[in-house]
Amino acid sequence: MRFKISMLCLVLSISSVTHAERFTLNELYELAIEKANSKAVETAKKDYEIAHYNKLSSLSNMGPKFSTSAQYMHWNEPVDVSFGFQLPPQFASMGINIPDKMHVMDQDTKSLSFTIAQPITPLYTLYHVYKINSLNEEASIIDLERQKRDIRYKVAETFFNILKLEKTRENLLASIKLVQSYKDLTVNLFKNGMIQKDDVMKVDVKLASIKDALLEVESGISVMKSLLNTMIGRNPSDEMELAADLSDAPQPLDISLDESIQKALENRSEIRSLTLRTDMLYAKKQTTIGGLIPSVVGLFTYSKQWGNLFQPDESWFIGGQLSWTFWEWGSTYFQLKANNREIEKAKLGLTSLKDGVIIDVKNAFFKTKNSYSSLLSNKKSIELAEEVYRIAVKKYENAQITATEVLDAETMLTNARINYANALYSYYLSLEDLKRAIDSK
């Protein structure tokens, strides 16, 4: 019976294990964009759609306008015109007859007209309005790209921090196994009277502290994975595994600082966006200038009349309409002054932004260089720590050193391995940071 209960518990425990889905960094990035419904990304998308439709609207304004109007009127009575005189009888004998009155308008009259208006001189202003909206659409696309870029870096940051913690967990588990084997050796030495009881107690304390550290790391992994699940639109408690096909011996940077800065100044989305918005201010100034130009509009109108003999049944004309506000107390002049100041302000902002980008690139570049140097030094530290630990164990077996010294050597080895893993993933994260700084895909 006890055997059956044990088997049942085993089956239940196996069936309760959920399948942990495996994700690469690129997959996580795509999910963060597509499924997480980031408010920043959604806002950027809406801004793009607004700019796109505004562009189409301004393009439509440049074409001819078609309009029609119809009129129906019921008068109190029809209109007849009386001449007020009669022709002499001799005119009648000649076949000339003029009625006493003539009907000129029905009691119900109708009219229909159709007009085509094509702006001519306003095209100058309308074109620059279109240009403003077109540039704004391009800037909105760039803003959307920047939001996606920032999300990618946040995902990468969480991704590599989890890898750091998982590698720390792996090293702590190895440390527990190592200290446990060392504890067995210590117990045997104590039983043979070669060491004191406190040596065994020191090993127990060390083992307990490593297990406590392991619990903290496990908690950290759980929290970070919940955060990553939230980023990609999954339930925070869902299980996941990270596919990190990364070399333990990555190559150093293959780009110089000057090249990084040059690429950033060419590619950085903030610079491209502000440059486009500066161009928009130039176009806005042109629309102000367009207000000084007389407005000429070409017209074509066709009309149809019913029930009104005062007007022809059908009529049409081709012509133009001119209007010009030639005096407005300097309103346009002062607006041009304001436009010039806006352009100057945008240029100053662009210069300041470029300075900030250069500092950002330098920071990311040297951070990456330093991370790689740290990676190399920590790799050497592992080799040294392994040798120190090997010698310490030998000396301890020969009763040449104390248990504390052996534990110190083991701690040095574990820390060296953890530091190397941290340096490794810090280097990969710094590469992502440098990509972000230069806006590289």
Side-chain angles (χ1 to χ4, degrees):
M1 182 67 179
R2 186 176 299 172
F3 174 75
K4 290 182 179 180
I5 294 175
S6 299
M7 289 298 297
L8 178 61
C9 291
L10 178 62
V11 170
L12 289 175
S13 63
I14 293 174
S15 62
S16 64
V17 175
T18 57
H19 174 68
E21 195 169 352
R22 190 175 177 86
F23 298 98
T24 65
L25 178 57
N26 284 332
E27 288 172 342
L28 291 169
Y29 165 63
E30 293 297 333
L31 287 171
I33 297 299
E34 294 175 8
K35 295 185 178 181
N37 295 320
S38 166
K39 290 183 179 180
V41 172
E42 286 301 310
T43 300
K45 285 181 179 178
K46 296 301 180 187
D47 288 340
Y48 162 71
E49 291 171 359
I50 291 170
H52 177 67
Y53 291 124
N54 282 336
K55 184 189 78 169
L56 295 179
S57 175
S58 58
L59 180 62
S60 301
N61 286 331
M62 298 172 67
K65 302 295 188 295
F66 298 84
S67 62
T68 185
S69 64
Q71 189 179 57
Y72 168 81
M73 302 186 73
H74 177 75
W75 302 88
N76 59 323
E77 60 182 12
V79 178
D80 294 325
V81 177
S82 175
F83 293 101
F85 66 90
Q86 292 184 347
L87 290 175
Q90 56 269 30
F91 284 94
S93 62
M94 297 170 60
I96 300 173
N97 186 23
I98 297 178
D100 293 340
K101 59 181 179 179
M102 180 181 294
H103 178 72
V104 294
M105 190 176 73
D106 295 344
Q107 189 171 11
D108 294 307
T109 61
K110 300 177 285 293
S111 66
L112 176 67
S113 65
F114 178 78
T115 301
I116 301 175
Q118 171 61 56
I120 300 175
T121 55
L123 286 176
Y124 180 85
T125 299
L126 293 172
Y127 167 74
H128 286 95
V129 171
Y130 166 76
K131 187 175 181 181
I132 289 172
N133 289 316
S134 181
L135 292 169
N136 190 39
E137 181 186 32
E138 291 182 51
S140 298
I141 294 173
I142 293 172
D143 290 341
L144 178 58
E145 291 174 358
R146 183 170 71 250
Q147 293 295 342
K148 292 181 178 181
R149 179 203 68 191
D150 292 343
I151 287 176
R152 177 182 178 86
Y153 179 72
K154 290 178 182 178
V155 170
E157 186 178 32
T158 308
F159 179 84
F160 287 114
N161 283 335
I162 292 174
L163 291 181
K164 284 182 184 179
L165 290 173
E166 288 184 338
K167 199 65 177 180
T168 299
R169 176 179 61 187
E170 180 183 326
N171 286 313
L172 288 176
L173 289 171
S175 178
I176 290 173
K177 185 176 180 181
L178 201 62
V179 174
Q180 185 63 54
S181 64
Y182 171 65
K183 178 182 177 181
D184 296 339
L185 172 62
T186 304
V187 169
N188 288 332
L189 293 174
F190 171 70
K191 288 179 179 179
N192 293 327
M194 298 177 65
I195 60 173
Q196 301 297 321
K197 177 67 175 178
D198 63 329
D199 284 336
V200 178
M201 296 171 63
K202 288 176 182 177
V203 176
D204 287 334
V205 171
K206 176 67 175 179
L207 197 57
S209 67
I210 298 174
K211 289 180 179 179
D212 287 341
L214 181 61
L215 288 175
E216 291 183 9
V217 170
E218 291 284 4
S219 299
I221 292 173
S222 178
V223 171
M224 295 297 286
K225 283 189 174 181
S226 294
L227 175 61
L228 191 54
N229 272 324
T230 302
M231 287 183 182
I232 63 175
R234 299 177 81 220
N235 190 303
S237 59
D238 286 348
E239 294 293 327
M240 66 160 39
E241 290 183 4
L242 304 184
D245 300 326
L246 304 170
S247 171
D248 287 338
Q251 296 298 313
L253 273 178
D254 58 354
I255 186 173
S256 68
L257 176 59
D258 289 340
E259 289 173 332
S260 299
I261 292 174
Q262 184 62 34
K263 282 189 175 182
L265 293 176
E266 292 173 356
N267 300 333
R268 190 72 174 250
S269 54
E270 292 94 329
I271 294 176
R272 290 187 291 142
S273 178
L274 188 53
T275 300
L276 288 171
R277 286 184 162 83
T278 303
D279 292 340
M280 287 167 58
L281 294 175
Y282 278 106
K284 179 182 176 183
K285 177 182 175 181
Q286 298 306 312
T287 63
T288 304
I289 294 174
L292 299 172
I293 303 173
S295 176
V296 177
V297 177
L299 295 172
F300 168 78
T301 297
Y302 169 81
S303 298
K304 176 71 175 176
Q305 303 285 334
W306 290 273
N308 191 343
L309 301 181
F310 283 117
Q311 296 181 357
D313 290 345
E314 293 185 53
S315 63
W316 59 268
F317 72 83
I318 295 176
Q321 184 179 44
L322 170 68
S323 64
W324 183 31
T325 303
F326 59 87
W327 183 255
E328 51 184 356
W329 303 97
S331 174
T332 303
Y333 171 80
F334 293 122
Q335 184 60 55
L336 283 173
K337 289 286 188 182
N339 293 154
N340 288 331
R341 297 303 179 270
E342 287 178 338
I343 292 170
E344 292 169 5
K345 179 183 175 182
K347 286 181 177 180
L348 289 173
L350 187 58
T351 301
S352 178
L353 177 59
K354 288 180 179 180
D355 291 340
V357 166
I358 291 173
I359 293 173
D360 190 23
V361 172
K362 282 186 175 181
N363 181 56
F365 181 85
F366 288 117
K367 179 181 174 182
T368 306
K369 294 281 286 186
N370 294 338
S371 294
Y372 190 76
S373 297
S374 177
L375 180 65
L376 297 179
S377 62
N378 277 288
K379 186 174 183 180
K380 293 179 181 178
S381 296
I382 290 179
E383 297 172 359
L384 295 173
E386 287 175 343
E387 182 63 16
V388 168
Y389 179 74
R390 186 187 65 79
I391 293 172
V393 171
K394 282 291 183 182
K395 287 184 176 181
Y396 185 70
E397 290 173 349
N398 296 324
Q400 294 177 319
I401 58 174
T402 64
T404 301
E405 292 174 283
V406 177
L407 292 174
D408 289 342
E410 190 281 328
T411 300
M412 181 188 298
L413 176 58
T414 299
N415 287 341
R417 289 171 175 170
I418 291 174
N419 290 339
Y420 176 75
N422 288 340
L424 176 66
Y425 295 123
S426 292
Y427 176 66
Y428 280 115
L429 180 58
S430 66
L431 287 175
E432 289 290 332
D433 190 31
L434 185 58
K435 287 180 182 179
R436 177 202 58 79
I438 63 178
D439 231 343
S440 177
K441 303 299 182 185

